[in-house]
Amino acid sequence: MQIFFIAIRGLRERRLWGKIEEETAREEEKMNGWLKWDGEILLWIQEHVRAGGLNGAMRAITHLGDAGAFWILLAVALLIVKRTRWLGAACASALAMGALATNVLLKNLVHRIRPYVALENLSILVSEPSDWSFPSGHATASFAAAWALFRLAPKKVGVPALLLAILIALSRLYVGVHYPTDVLAGAAIGILSGESSVRLIRSRRVSRLFEN
């Protein structure tokens, strides 16, 4: 009788593992589909969007986001002027949150290789980045600072900042160093970081620091 129950239990376990393997296979198939779609968009951009006259402009735009340089300099400039110090603090804290989430944590957890390594026919228009691909640090930094400005500054400042963030994010696809999902994830993290910074700056305790 004991042998019978052991056999039944073994059969149930095999069925359970079979279902788990089927689910895993389905998830892998979905993931492969997403990865294929990610790469096909980049190849389509290379084939149908890239143009000699546009290449230089997109290189210049993408370099604005290198190491978050443009946004860091903007934050420093705002911090220097007393009247705009609170805006500078919002940008700086948003950039710090985004960098921590993206460059320190996620890139080193996901370890996604760059698209030009995985796609034989994809060529890049800038030098090879030295870090991992997911998520996009350029998109994260750009949207973090731009979202803080969009929410706190006058529209004549916030709207152009957000448009520049979009251009920098799109330039990462154009030059071939990021997948679309890298950029989308970076933009989402940036917006979350920017919104968190806005709420922090607007909190009663922090806002008092900039009243005088």
Side-chain angles (χ1 to χ4, degrees):
M1 183 64 71
Q2 187 175 0
I3 295 173
F4 174 76
F5 283 119
I6 292 173
I8 293 295
R9 186 186 302 170
L11 182 61
R12 286 177 178 174
E13 289 178 353
R14 281 196 295 271
R15 286 178 178 176
L16 178 61
W17 280 110
K19 289 181 180 179
I20 292 173
E21 288 174 354
E22 287 178 9
E23 289 296 324
T24 303
R26 289 195 196 100
E27 291 300 321
E28 287 179 353
E29 188 175 346
K30 288 179 183 178
M31 182 60 70
N32 289 334
W34 277 106
L35 291 175
K36 183 179 179 182
W37 169 82
D38 244 3
E40 285 178 350
I41 288 179
L42 293 181
L43 293 173
W44 184 88
I45 290 172
Q46 177 176 266
E47 183 69 22
H48 300 285
V49 180
R50 281 187 187 176
L54 190 57
N55 290 352
M58 294 305 278
R59 282 195 196 97
I61 290 170
T62 211
H63 285 316
L64 287 175
D66 288 354
F70 174 82
W71 304 105
I72 292 171
L73 289 173
L74 179 60
V76 170
L78 291 170
L79 283 166
I80 291 172
V81 181
K82 187 175 181 180
R83 184 167 52 89
T84 60
R85 196 161 290 160
W86 64 290
L87 287 175
C91 289
S93 60
L95 287 167
M97 291 179 202
L100 179 63
T102 298
N103 297 81
V104 177
L105 295 177
L106 288 175
K107 280 182 180 286
N108 295 306
L109 285 174
V110 178
H111 288 180
R112 190 181 196 185
I113 62 172
R114 295 279 175 171
Y116 54 83
V117 177
L119 302 171
E120 289 183 5
N121 297 324
L122 182 66
S123 60
I124 59 174
L125 301 180
V126 293
S127 57
E128 296 184 6
S130 59
D131 58 352
W132 300 103
S133 190
F134 182 91
S136 167
H138 281 62
T140 300
S142 298
F143 275 92
W147 188 258
L149 291 172
F150 181 74
R151 295 277 279 113
L152 296 173
K155 295 304 178 189
K156 63 182 180 181
V157 175
V159 171
L162 200 55
L163 290 175
L164 179 59
I166 293 170
L167 281 175
I168 290 175
L170 291 175
S171 75
R172 305 305 284 169
L173 305 179
Y174 187 93
V175 300
V177 294
H178 275 297
Y179 290 104
T181 46
D182 297 340
V183 170
L184 288 173
I189 294 167
I191 290 172
L192 287 172
S193 300
E195 187 62 28
S196 298
S197 178
V198 168
R199 297 189 181 193
L200 176 65
I201 293 297
R202 282 181 171 172
S203 67
R204 184 176 299 177
R205 182 175 296 179
V206 176
S207 62
R208 285 176 181 171
L209 300 174
F210 302 99
E211 286 178 357
N212 298 321

